[in-house]
Amino acid sequence: MVKSENIIADFIILGGGASGLSAAVAAAEKGASTIIIEKRGALGGNAIMAGGIFAAESPTQKRLKIDLRKDECFRTAMNHSHWKINPYIIRTFIDKSGDTIKWLENKGLNFVPFIEPIAGQGGFHLPTGAGIGLVKHLTDECKKLGVNILLHTDVKKINSRTKGELFLIEAKSNEIDITLKSRSILIATGGYGGNKEMLKKYCLDYRDNMTCYGVPNNGDGISLAMALGADTAGLGILHMAGPTLPKSIVLNINNEPNVVRVQLSAIILEPNTVWVNKRGKRFTDESIGYNHFGSANTVVIQPDNESFTVFDNNIVNGWIENGFILGMGGPMGLQGKTLHGLATALQEHVKRGWVNIANKWDEIAEWMGADPQILESTISKYNSDCENRYDTLFNKNPKYLLPLLTPPFYAVKARADFLSTIGGIKINEYMEVLDKKDIPIPGLYAAGVDTGGWNSDTYNGLLPGNAFGFSVNSGRIAGENAAKYALELKSI
Ligand SMILES: Cc1cc2nc3c(=O)[nH]c(=O)nc-3n(C[C@H](O)[C@H](O)[C@H](O)COP(=O)(O)OP(=O)(O)OC[C@H]3O[C@@H](n4cnc5c(N)ncnc54)[C@H](O)[C@@H]3O)c2cc1C
């Protein structure tokens, strides 16, 4: 077994995802010798799968004449959380966000204009190549700046030390034990979406039938920080989405001359459908799917975290002729486009168990495991509400009220899932890790979804892109501050 104690750096980063890469570039730009330790064989983490990042008052918005003020976003974030999050962290994040777009643009990354259908506020910045584009860009910057990247390297222990001394990190790199020393450390290991024990222990919303869409991170960084005396904040939040289905369940719609690939989950969010639980009861205004993070909350509290989106042939024909209304889960611009092969594509999913098609509601109820009388009474009430143009239960906008009268009838099974966890390590607005007395642990920083205090129990869809956005911004801020700390320490 090889032991090396020669590796010393100003700044060592655990995790090479959105926040780790941003921190590495920011610290190396300030002159700090920087190492990224990444457990997997590739950099990027969940950022590889992400779309856009949130920002306010950015140069991109200025060019597009989108007037989204930082003050307004600060207020939105605080109100959304009922002021249960740390206003200093939010202020710092939002104030930095526009400048971070400039920072990235100056490195050659472009952002394409994109007005999100969910909230429509214009805060969502989609980089060229989406998350992969951003990761590639930051990785190239790291290489240019001489950041040392250790892949396949897993940190086992960080030894506590007194102020002014070096951190000692014990890790396994490609099956070889190594030790590293550093003046400052960033924990950025992306949460614990793959750790069932932690999910069950901390997340009240976690259910056994949930899938984590993202990288199955293990919570390593949170455990290491706790072992160093860190306090926790916001531990137990899931970045949920729903109703949803595994992303691999795709409709191949033969739309001559092209085949359009759309995730089946696109259909289950359409606002003119009806959502029922496995008892056959409707449970929400279905247009809540415009914010499918909020709508996940309506699903997760249903029996067995199961929902069924039901519709009739008339609605299918409407999608065939006019395309989807919301159109999530596929290529952009599905709204208003004909989808000729949709009915056949839906039929193909019947044998896979996600879709049922029948001429009578009691057959649909039997497939769902619901009492047929309850389902029929739900549909009959909804149909009479449609006739009266008033949703007596949930006041859905009348423009989405279409009666379900024309067989065949359809049901698609869904549930709430999650992208990753959010929350864990308590930090302040400098991304310094705080101990149980609320005092910063010198030289120890944390960023991204390993940290808490910036997101309440539900992901804030009103500031779209804020998880990726917070990760990039908190990483950048942590990198700047860690470099400053380390270089001052070195000069003593
Ligand atoms: C499908 C999908 C789509 C998404 N789309 C969006 C979006 O459009 N907008 C948005 O705001 N958010 C989105 N997100 C969320 C966003 O990707 C994350 O919030 C963000 O990537 C978190 O950044 P992070 O640095 O905290 O973690 P990550 O980016 O996950 O990085 C963590 C890194 O740490 C590494 N690691 C883990 N353990 C260790 C260890 N012990 N030692 C060393 N390295 C370790 C991991 O391998 C990983 O590379 C999406 C997520 C998913 C899954």
Side-chain angles (χ1 to χ4, degrees):
M1 227 175 272
V2 180
K3 265 206 163 209
S4 161
E5 305 213 355
N6 298 329
I7 308 171
I8 299 181
D10 292 322
F11 185 34
I12 288 186
I13 298 166
L14 276 51
S19 49
L21 284 166
S22 308
V25 173
E29 279 178 343
K30 298 269 176 219
S33 59
T34 300
I35 296 175
I36 295 179
I37 296 182
E38 168 57 52
K39 193 175 186 173
R40 302 197 310 151
L43 294 169
N46 280 315
I48 292 283
M49 285 170 261
I53 68 178
F54 167 83
E57 296 184 33
S58 72
T60 318
Q61 287 162 328
K62 203 168 180 188
R63 284 195 296 276
L64 293 169
K65 301 200 174 7
I66 295 171
D67 187 16
L68 182 65
R69 297 299 164 101
K70 295 173 192 167
D71 282 346
E72 185 194 333
C73 296
F74 171 76
R75 182 65 52 185
T76 302
M78 296 314 296
N79 285 344
H80 178 264
S81 71
H82 307 289
W83 286 75
K84 277 186 160 179
I85 52 179
N86 182 333
Y88 289 94
I89 298 177
I90 296 300
R91 192 87 232 187
T92 308
F93 159 39
I94 290 173
D95 283 358
K96 189 86 168 176
S97 63
D99 185 68
T100 292
I101 299 293
K102 187 168 151 204
W103 183 66
L104 292 166
E105 281 190 347
N106 284 344
K107 299 178 193 325
L109 185 67
N110 294 316
F111 290 87
V112 294
F114 181 80
I115 303 292
E116 65 282 1
I118 300 173
Q121 283 200 49
F124 194 77
H125 290 63
L126 189 64
T128 314
I132 296 178
L134 187 135
V135 166
K136 188 181 169 314
H137 231 83
L138 290 178
T139 305
D140 290 348
E141 283 296 313
C142 282
K143 288 179 184 157
K144 269 190 234 161
L145 291 161
V147 173
N148 189 356
I149 297 170
L150 304 179
L151 298 177
H152 292 297
T153 305
D154 191 4
V155 173
K156 299 289 171 203
K157 196 174 172 201
I158 305 173
N159 291 294
S160 61
R161 55 30 161 170
T162 50
K163 191 180 174 189
E165 287 182 351
L166 299 180
F167 284 105
L168 188 74
I169 300 167
E170 295 174 21
K172 213 176 210 13
S173 185
N174 290 304
E175 297 307 310
I176 295 171
D177 286 333
I178 57 168
T179 54
L180 306 100
K181 288 178 179 173
S182 73
R183 295 180 177 83
S184 58
I185 287 184
L186 173 71
I187 293 181
T189 62
Y192 51 95
N195 184 331
K196 282 209 167 160
E197 209 177 296
M198 283 178 84
L199 289 166
K200 284 184 178 163
K201 184 169 174 188
Y202 296 120
C203 304
L204 288 177
D205 286 330
Y206 180 69
R207 305 287 185 272
D208 280 334
N209 63 348
M210 282 182 166
T211 299
C212 171
Y213 285 156
V215 177
N217 292 323
N218 245 338
D220 295 337
I222 296 174
S223 307
L224 288 165
M226 283 162 104
L228 287 171
D231 201 357
T232 61
L235 194 55
I237 298 165
L238 292 177
H239 183 167
M240 281 197 297
T244 189
L245 292 164
K247 297 221 175 315
S248 55
I249 314 292
V250 168
L251 291 164
N252 289 307
I253 304 173
N254 188 353
N255 199 35
E256 297 276 341
N258 305 313
V259 173
V260 183
R261 281 172 62 81
V262 185
Q263 283 157 24
L264 182 55
S265 54
I267 283 201
I268 57 183
L269 287 170
E270 285 294 286
N272 56 358
T273 58
V274 174
W275 303 356
V276 294
N277 64 18
K278 67 186 288 184
R279 307 263 176 267
K281 283 188 83 165
R282 204 171 152 229
F283 56 85
T284 186
D285 163 4
E286 292 81 1
S287 66
I288 194 175
Y290 275 89
N291 176 356
H292 78 295
F293 310 109
S295 58
N297 286 341
T298 69
V299 176
V300 79
I301 56 171
Q302 301 310 315
D304 296 335
N305 179 33
E306 273 188 1
S307 76
F308 296 84
T309 293
V310 297
F311 44 95
D312 73 347
N313 199 42
N314 183 39
I315 292 179
V316 174
N317 283 336
W319 291 330
I320 289 172
E321 293 305 318
N322 307 312
F324 292 127
I325 300 171
L326 174 54
M328 297 278 286
M332 301 299 165
L334 281 175
Q335 301 91 339
K337 290 234 170 99
T338 52
L339 296 168
H340 292 301
L342 178 60
T344 313
L346 276 167
Q347 183 74 47
E348 276 162 14
H349 281 280
V350 172
K351 54 182 178 300
R352 297 181 69 184
W354 295 102
V355 177
N356 189 251
I357 307 173
N359 283 326
K360 294 205 170 115
W361 284 114
D362 56 1
E363 289 171 42
I364 298 274
E366 193 186 331
W367 178 74
M368 287 167 43
D371 179 337
Q373 280 185 344
I374 296 178
L375 181 64
E376 279 178 40
S377 117
T378 297
I379 302 296
S380 138
K381 169 134 187 62
Y382 184 77
N383 286 346
S384 82
D385 282 355
C386 290
E387 214 169 285
N388 299 323
R389 315 301 305 143
Y390 175 51
D391 173 8
T392 50
L393 271 178
F394 305 126
N395 192 24
K396 179 158 79 172
N397 187 326
K399 74 178 176 189
Y400 300 129
L401 292 175
L402 281 178
L404 308 187
L405 295 165
T406 315
F409 302 119
Y410 293 75
V412 183
K413 194 190 320 200
R415 62 190 185 215
D417 282 325
F418 64 101
L419 287 72
S420 71
T421 57
I422 294 181
I425 303 168
K426 191 169 189 187
I427 48 164
N428 61 15
E429 66 272 31
Y430 308 104
M431 311 304 147
E432 294 169 318
V433 174
L434 301 179
D435 69 12
K436 291 194 181 342
K437 291 185 179 150
D438 228 34
I439 311 248
I441 299 174
L444 187 61
Y445 297 80
V449 299
D450 268 349
T451 68
W454 53 275
N455 188 85
S456 62
D457 60 1
T458 302
Y459 178 81
N460 186 356
L462 298 172
L463 302 177
N466 78 78
F468 196 10
F470 180 77
S471 300
V472 170
N473 281 283
S474 61
R476 185 180 171 211
I477 295 163
E480 289 168 351
N481 291 331
K484 187 165 177 277
Y485 172 89
L487 295 175
E488 276 172 15
L489 190 64
K490 203 164 154 180
S491 69
I492 294 171

